[in-house]
Amino acid sequence: MIDDGSLRKIDQKMKDKVDTSSESEELRRQAEARLGELKRKTTPLPSLDVNVRRLVHELEVNQIELEMQNDALMQARAELEAVVRQLTNLYDFAPVGYFTLEKDGTITRANLMGAKLLGVERKLLLKRRFGLFMSAKSRMTFDACLKEVFDNQKIKACDIVLLKDGQEASWARVEATRSEDGLKYRVVVSDISARKQAETHLQLARSTYQGIINSVTESIFIQDEDGILLDVNLASEKMYGYAKSEFIGKTPAFLCAPDKNDLEAIGVLFRKAYAGEAQGYECWGLRKDGSIFPRDVSLTPGMYFGRKVVISVARDISESKKAERDLIYLSTHDTLTGLYNRGFFVEEMERLERGRLFPVSIVMADIDGLKKVNDQRGHAAGDALIKSIAQVLTDSFRTGDVVARIGGDEFAVLLPGSDATEAGHSILRLRQAVQEHDATLPATPIGLSLGLSTAEEAASLAEVLKEADKSMYRDKRNRNG
């Protein structure tokens, strides 16, 4: 039988086990509540000694506390096991490879994706060197990566080539760090073959693109929405004299000759091109050496490696402009003398007649004895005589007068604003110039028959030309007797 002293000792031990923390107090409170519910549902015990009842109560409360703690532990264990299963699934079925390596690179643990990336069953990977599954060049890269991780205790990444059946099979990105105890490596491996292939294709596309635009002789600019130059070809460097790096990041405004281009209008055309409507224009370019030149520019909307751009193609049209000027010159001038030709002379007569710019005088001149010179001294001498007379005529008349060779040995001079008196003075100056020429070059004298006609008021200048021609023939008959 338990005496009162023993009961007091047991009671004291029970009390000593009670934690005075708030958590223990909450546990005891819940145990007391559960015990109260049980007692209400069960038959009360026979009347006992107070100490015994207190002891029994403490035992019952303690038993319920233990049961509740056990339930909590079981629940925590179940939750922990669920978390472990979840983490294990996350580890095993992760879309990247996970490896644990010894300091010498020996694999001690790997997930399913890691085994798949290396092409070996997971259980066969253990205790094998990770470096055996990569190319020799990649092994050097990987070893250097691990050394840096060990020395600096930081995460380090590198790209390696994985092998399959001894052949290079795929690209992988490796990220390594030291384990918590510093004795192992945690390695994450991801397949980047698709990215590497895309990079290769992009590099090939860029190489092909560069080859194409650099084979073009015209200048090519690639411009973004704001007109900033993203790329230029070799022809641009040659055309403007700048290195490629001096173009990039700027707008082409520095390549436009100052005060010779309407930059605002060009800007409008550029915006239309960016919106999808091809444009074209001519303007003046400026080279690095300060020289300017005409250029023809076309603006076309396009794409530049997935980016919307404007492709500007420019041609140096200096030669074509010169050819155009030469063509215009040849269409209006006599090739032997450089004087205006008959076509231009007639156009000028019609222009003056339409503009009613009167008075207008016309002088006709015919070379005396040109056939004789050609027959006796050759056509070269005849051509020299024609050019000498052309020079004398040019020197004798005003800058605004139109001196033209209208036939083999015939010349005509259109004198806008000259009445008969003033035109007569011009005839006198011409005869004086002929005399001075003959005195200087007596071996090649000039013989000219001259005629003059004036329209003081509005009249047909074609008729005036006929009258001047008649006057010239009268002078020739008089001179030849």
Side-chain angles (χ1 to χ4, degrees):
M1 185 173 179
I2 301 175
D3 57 19
D4 290 344
S6 298
L7 289 173
R8 283 195 294 272
K9 289 180 180 179
I10 294 173
D11 182 47
Q12 185 61 46
K13 288 181 179 178
M14 290 294 182
K15 290 181 179 179
D16 290 342
K17 291 182 179 180
V18 177
D19 193 340
T20 57
S21 67
S22 60
E23 189 175 318
S24 296
E25 290 175 357
E26 176 62 22
L27 178 63
R28 183 174 179 83
R29 186 190 66 77
Q30 293 178 7
E32 291 274 12
R34 184 177 294 183
L35 179 60
E37 292 178 2
L38 290 173
K39 285 185 175 181
R40 283 195 294 271
K41 297 177 181 179
T42 58
T43 304
L45 294 174
S47 177
L48 297 174
D49 180 75
V50 173
N51 291 331
V52 174
R53 284 202 306 272
R54 187 169 62 250
L55 177 60
V56 171
H57 178 78
E58 287 298 330
L59 288 172
E60 290 175 334
V61 170
N62 191 253
Q63 181 180 357
I64 293 173
E65 286 180 344
L66 290 173
E67 291 174 353
M68 292 176 67
Q69 287 177 335
N70 184 62
D71 290 343
L73 286 173
M74 293 297 290
Q75 182 179 355
R77 179 177 179 179
E79 291 175 355
L80 181 60
E81 289 176 349
V83 170
V84 170
R85 286 194 300 273
Q86 184 179 14
L87 291 176
T88 300
N89 288 337
L90 288 174
Y91 179 84
D92 280 340
F93 300 106
V96 295
Y98 289 127
F99 296 90
T100 300
L101 309 180
E102 297 287 355
K103 288 180 63 176
D104 62 358
T106 300
I107 301 172
T108 60
R109 190 176 182 186
N111 70 345
L112 294 174
M113 179 55 73
K116 182 178 180 181
L117 287 173
L118 300 187
V120 178
E121 190 177 347
R122 178 159 59 167
K123 64 182 180 181
L124 300 178
L125 283 175
L126 303 183
K127 297 184 180 181
R128 297 181 69 179
R129 292 285 188 89
F130 188 75
L132 296 176
F133 299 94
M134 63 186 73
S135 66
K137 185 177 180 181
S138 293
R139 196 174 304 129
M140 296 175 61
T141 302
F142 180 70
D143 290 344
C145 178
L146 290 187
K147 184 177 185 305
E148 188 168 347
V149 169
F150 185 82
D151 293 342
N152 300 326
Q153 299 184 11
K154 294 181 179 179
I155 297 176
K156 181 67 177 176
C158 62
D159 293 346
I160 62 172
V161 177
L162 296 177
L163 301 177
K164 187 174 183 180
D165 298 329
Q167 302 295 321
E168 295 184 357
S170 60
W171 276 93
R173 179 77 169 175
V174 174
E175 294 184 25
T177 185
R178 288 175 64 179
S179 62
E180 295 76 6
D181 58 10
L183 300 178
K184 296 182 179 181
Y185 297 104
R186 309 288 190 203
V187 177
V188 180
V189 182
S190 53
D191 189 342
I192 58 170
S193 300
R195 192 192 79 189
K196 285 290 186 179
Q197 186 177 26
E199 290 176 356
T200 300
H201 289 165
L202 180 60
Q203 186 176 8
L204 179 61
R206 286 185 179 275
S207 177
T208 303
Y209 153 79
Q210 288 292 339
I212 292 173
I213 70 167
N214 286 334
S215 67
V216 177
T217 56
E218 289 84 3
S219 164
I220 297 179
F221 293 164
I222 308 297
Q223 297 173 255
D224 67 9
E225 181 180 5
D226 298 319
I228 302 298
L229 294 169
L230 304 176
D231 198 6
V232 300
N233 65 345
L234 288 175
S236 298
E237 297 181 57
K238 295 177 181 179
M239 180 178 290
Y240 297 98
Y242 290 96
K244 185 173 184 175
S245 59
E246 296 178 278
F247 288 92
I248 307 304
K250 301 177 183 177
T251 68
F254 74 104
L255 303 172
C256 293
D259 303 322
K260 292 185 73 68
N261 299 292
D262 188 343
L263 297 182
E264 185 176 347
I266 292 175
V268 171
L269 296 176
F270 179 86
R271 289 189 289 275
K272 287 183 178 180
Y274 188 82
E277 183 182 349
Q279 303 292 320
Y281 61 92
E282 289 186 4
C283 65
W284 286 89
L286 176 66
R287 295 188 178 92
K288 190 173 184 178
D289 62 8
S291 61
I292 64 175
F293 64 99
R295 58 185 180 177
D296 177 76
V297 180
S298 65
L299 303 175
T300 307
M303 299 296 293
Y304 177 73
F305 298 103
R307 185 175 184 177
K308 186 178 178 181
V309 295
V310 171
I311 302 171
S312 172
V313 179
R315 292 187 303 110
D316 182 345
I317 55 175
S318 299
E319 291 300 321
S320 62
K321 285 293 183 182
K322 181 179 181 301
E324 184 179 321
R325 290 193 300 270
D326 290 346
L327 185 60
I328 293 174
Y329 180 87
L330 290 174
S331 68
T332 58
H333 288 75
D334 174 59
T335 56
L336 178 62
T337 63
L339 299 179
Y340 289 113
N341 59 19
R342 185 181 189 90
F344 183 81
F345 186 86
V346 171
E347 287 181 3
E348 281 297 291
M349 282 200 311
E350 293 173 350
R351 184 183 66 82
L352 291 174
E353 189 174 322
R354 287 195 305 270
R356 307 181 69 80
L357 300 175
F358 292 88
V360 175
S361 294
I362 297 177
V363 173
M364 282 291 296
D366 186 83
I367 303 174
D368 294 333
L370 176 61
K371 184 177 183 304
K372 182 178 179 180
V373 172
N374 286 332
D375 292 341
Q376 294 181 355
R377 299 168 53 193
H379 285 279
D383 289 346
L385 176 62
I386 291 172
K387 288 192 283 188
S388 295
I389 292 173
Q391 187 60 53
V392 170
L393 287 168
T394 301
D395 294 340
S396 300
F397 290 92
R398 302 169 303 182
T399 303
D401 296 337
V402 179
V403 181
R405 182 187 179 199
I406 61 173
D409 57 358
E410 290 185 332
F411 298 86
V413 184
L414 194 59
L415 292 81
S418 292
D419 56 18
T421 302
E422 189 172 353
H425 293 157
S426 297
I427 293 288
L428 293 176
R429 285 198 305 274
L430 176 57
R431 292 192 184 281
Q432 180 64 35
V434 169
Q435 291 177 3
E436 291 174 359
H437 173 272
D438 291 350
T440 304
L441 299 170
T444 56
I446 293 175
L448 278 180
S449 298
L450 302 174
L452 171 64
S453 180
T454 300
E456 300 289 349
E457 296 178 352
S460 169
L461 292 182
E463 293 299 322
V464 175
L465 179 62
K466 290 179 181 179
E467 290 298 323
D469 190 58
K470 292 178 181 178
S471 174
M472 180 268 295
Y473 277 107
R474 285 195 296 270
D475 181 56
K476 184 179 288 290
R477 285 194 297 272
N478 293 333
R479 287 166 56 81
N480 294 331

